[in-house]
Amino acid sequence: MSQQDKQAPMLVVRNARVVTCDGPPEAAPKDRLAIIDGGMVAIGEDGRVSYVGPEIKSLAAAAANVVDAESGAVLPGLVDPHTHLVFAGSRVDEFARRMAGEDYQTIAKEGGGIAATVRATRAASDEALYCLAARRARVMRRCGVTTLEVKSGYGLRPASEAASLRAARRIGEEGHCRVTTSFLGAHAIPPERRGDRAGYVDEVVGAQLDAVVAEGLADAIDVYIDEGAFTLAEGRRVLEAGKARGLAVRAHAGQFADLGAAELVAELGGLSADHLEELSDEGAAAMAAAGVVGVLLPGAWRTLRQAAPDVGRLRRAGVRLAVGTDLNPGTSPTTNLPLCAALAVRDAGLTLEEAVLGVTVDAAAAAGFEGVGRIAEGCWGDLAIYAHDDPRALAYGIGDVRPLKVVLGGRVVHEEPRDGVAVW
Ligand code: NIG
Ligand code: FE
C-alpha cells in the first residue's frame, strides 16, 4: 500500500528531527537512536504511528492536525519502568531525620519507613488515592513521560493491594498515561504481621494474589528481596506464585545487599531487576544471558546517599540498562524522569545515548510494554516534541528538560509556550 492510499492521519508532525530509538538492538547506542533529519511522523485515527520517515507533502495536506516541530527533536514518549505512584501521606519528617544522620533501616524497624506510608494509604479513600496518583501522572507527563510502570505495595492486605492497583489501572483507562501494573504485596511485612513472616508470605501468594488476579489488576509480580525486607527463599515463593498465575516477573534486587535476586529473576525469565547497587559478576552475567533489563534508580541512591551501581560491570556483561524514577515518598520523592537520566550519567557513568535509550526503548523492555518507547509504524503515537534538536539534552540539563508538546495516541495532551521551556 502506498502512503497516499493510507487513511488520512489524525496528526502529522513535520519538519522534525525524529529520534526513533528504533535502530538495531545490537548496534552501538548512537546508532540505536536512529535519527531521521527533516523527518515526519504520521499518526492514524487508531492512535498508532502510520508513517515515519522523510517528509511526504501529501500526507501533511491530508492530516486533520499538523504540528511544525521547527527542526526540534521528536522523541518517543518517555517510559518510566519503576514507580510506586499510588500512595498517600508525606514522609518529609522522616527525610529530615535521615538527612540529619538517622538510618533508613533503623527508622523502618521503629515502624516508620514503608509502614508509615502503609498506614496513610490504607486510611485514604479509593477516590483520594486515585486523585493523588493521577495528579502525579499528569505532572510526569509534563516531563514527556507517556508510559508508567506502577506498583502496589503500600496496601499489604488483599483489599488494599487491589485498591492501589485499581487506581493505577484507572489512570490508564482515563487516558492520563499508559500504565502497566506490578503487584508488590511483598514490599514489607506490615506492622500487624511482624511476628508472622511465613503467614504473611502465605497471604501474599494466597489471598492477595487471588484478589488481584481475579480482577486482572496486575501485569507483573514484584518483590523486595533485600536485607530488612524479604529473603531469597521468600522472594522465590512469591515470584514463582505470580509466574504460575501468568504474571511477568521483576524484583527489587540488591538495593542494600546482594542476596541473589538478580540470578533469581534471570532463572525465572523475568523482565527486570531493579536497583542493583549491590550485584556480583555472576548476577550481571545471569541477567545478560536471560535478557533481564537492569533498571537504575538514581533518585533512591541519591536520597539514601549510596554509591551508584557499577555500570561498567553491567555494560561489560552485556546487560541492557534502563532508568526509572522509583517515585515513592520514602527513598525517591521525584516525578522527574529526565532528572534521573541526568543523574544516571553523572553518578553511574551511563553515556548520554544510553540514558536516552534507557528512558525510551530499553525502559519499554523493562516495563514489558509493547509498542512504546520507539517511533515505528504500528507503535503507539506517543511523542515528546522538544525546542532543542539534540536528544542528548535529555540527560544534559539537570532537571529542567521539558518538551514543548506531549502527544499521547495522536492527541496533544500537554503544551508549553515556546518561551516556557529552556533550550539546551
Ligand atoms: O524502591 N526498595 C523498596 N521500596 C522503595 C522504598 C519505598 C519506601 O521507602 O517507601 C524503593 O526504594
Ligand atoms: Fe522501588
Side-chain angles (χ1 to χ4, degrees), residues 3 6-14 40-52 59 62-65 67 74-77 178 375-385 406-412:
Q3 293 311 321
K6 284 195 173 176
Q7 220 185 25
M10 162 160 63
L11 176 74
V12 158
V13 180
R14 58 170 296 274
M40 176 181 269
V41 183
I43 300 168
E45 288 295 337
D46 61 357
R48 291 183 183 265
V49 174
S50 55
Y51 173 77
V52 52
L59 209 52
N65 190 2
V67 170
V74 173
L75 269 71
R178 296 184 202 286
I375 306 174
E377 280 187 32
C379 286
W380 286 112
D382 304 345
L383 307 172
I385 302 172
V406 180
V407 175
L408 182 66
R411 289 183 306 121
V412 177

Side-chain angles (χ1 to χ4, degrees), residues 16-393:
R17 186 146 203 254
V18 186
V19 184
T20 65
C21 300
D22 194 37
E26 65 286 352
K30 194 164 172 289
D31 298 320
R32 292 185 62 205
L33 294 178
I35 297 175
I36 304 169
D37 279 308
M40 176 181 269
V41 183
I43 300 168
E45 288 295 337
D46 61 357
R48 291 183 183 265
V49 174
S50 55
Y51 173 77
V52 52
E55 293 220 13
I56 300 176
K57 287 210 166 58
S58 58
L59 209 52
N65 190 2
V66 178
V67 170
D68 182 346
E70 299 186 32
S71 302
V74 173
L75 269 71
L78 309 182
V79 179
D80 189 336
H82 185 135
T83 81
H84 304 252
L85 192 78
V86 184
F87 64 87
S90 166
R91 304 239 299 272
V92 65
D93 287 338
E94 173 189 318
F95 177 67
R97 284 173 61 189
R98 279 194 280 121
M99 291 303 106
E102 287 186 62
D103 171 67
Y104 178 74
Q105 280 160 325
T106 309
I107 292 173
K109 276 189 203 122
E110 290 168 0
I114 293 172
T117 302
V118 170
R119 283 191 293 277
T121 302
R122 287 176 176 177
S125 70
D126 290 356
E127 190 62 21
L129 260 191
Y130 164 73
C131 288
L132 284 166
R135 186 161 161 181
R136 293 180 193 118
R138 286 195 301 272
V139 170
M140 296 178 89
R141 209 168 65 178
R142 287 161 55 177
C143 287
V145 176
T146 51
T147 301
L148 296 173
E149 184 272 355
V150 180
K151 304 173 194 307
S152 61
Y154 293 119
L156 308 188
R157 59 187 183 198
S160 306
E161 283 294 297
S164 293
L165 292 173
R166 234 179 265 124
R169 281 273 193 250
R170 190 171 157 202
I171 289 165
E173 286 155 12
E174 302 213 354
H176 300 297
C177 278
R178 296 184 202 286
V179 169
T180 181
T181 56
S182 303
F183 164 53
L184 180 58
H187 193 195
I189 309 275
E192 73 276 10
R193 306 297 294 274
R194 279 270 156 80
D196 181 24
R197 290 187 73 86
Y200 182 68
V201 176
D202 286 345
E203 179 184 302
V204 170
V205 301
Q208 290 192 22
L209 187 58
D210 286 346
V212 304
V213 168
E215 264 185 77
L217 294 172
D219 300 315
I221 185 139
D222 195 345
V223 57
Y224 184 16
I225 297 172
D226 217 313
E227 248 166 30
F230 292 87
T231 65
L232 187 65
E234 290 164 342
R236 175 182 286 281
R237 258 195 92 195
V238 170
L239 294 181
E240 284 180 345
K243 185 174 173 176
R245 304 291 285 271
L247 304 183
V249 167
R250 57 166 47 90
H252 285 67
Q255 183 179 21
F256 296 106
D258 176 15
L259 304 187
E263 288 92 330
L264 176 62
V265 174
E267 180 194 324
L268 297 176
L271 292 170
S272 72
D274 305 28
H275 283 290
L276 307 176
E277 280 77 358
E278 303 296 329
L279 178 72
S280 65
D281 283 334
E282 292 72 28
M287 286 174 65
V292 175
V293 182
V295 177
L296 307 179
L297 303 169
W301 76 60
R302 275 281 166 137
T303 301
L304 294 165
R305 294 181 171 159
Q306 290 178 298
D310 183 351
V311 159
R313 179 199 305 266
L314 287 156
R315 200 189 277 124
R316 276 194 304 280
V319 177
R320 211 167 159 183
L321 295 172
V323 179
T325 58
D326 195 13
L327 187 166
N328 77 74
T331 61
S332 192
T334 178
T335 52
N336 195 325
L337 185 60
L339 170 62
C340 293
L343 293 176
V345 170
R346 285 162 176 80
D347 294 351
L350 279 196
T351 66
L352 293 162
E353 290 84 1
E354 285 172 333
V356 173
L357 297 164
V359 293
T360 54
V361 62
D362 291 336
F369 207 119
E370 293 286 332
V372 300
R374 60 199 177 95
I375 306 174
E377 280 187 32
C379 286
W380 286 112
D382 304 345
L383 307 172
I385 302 172
Y386 292 91
H388 52 256
D389 65 1
D390 191 329
R392 296 174 304 172

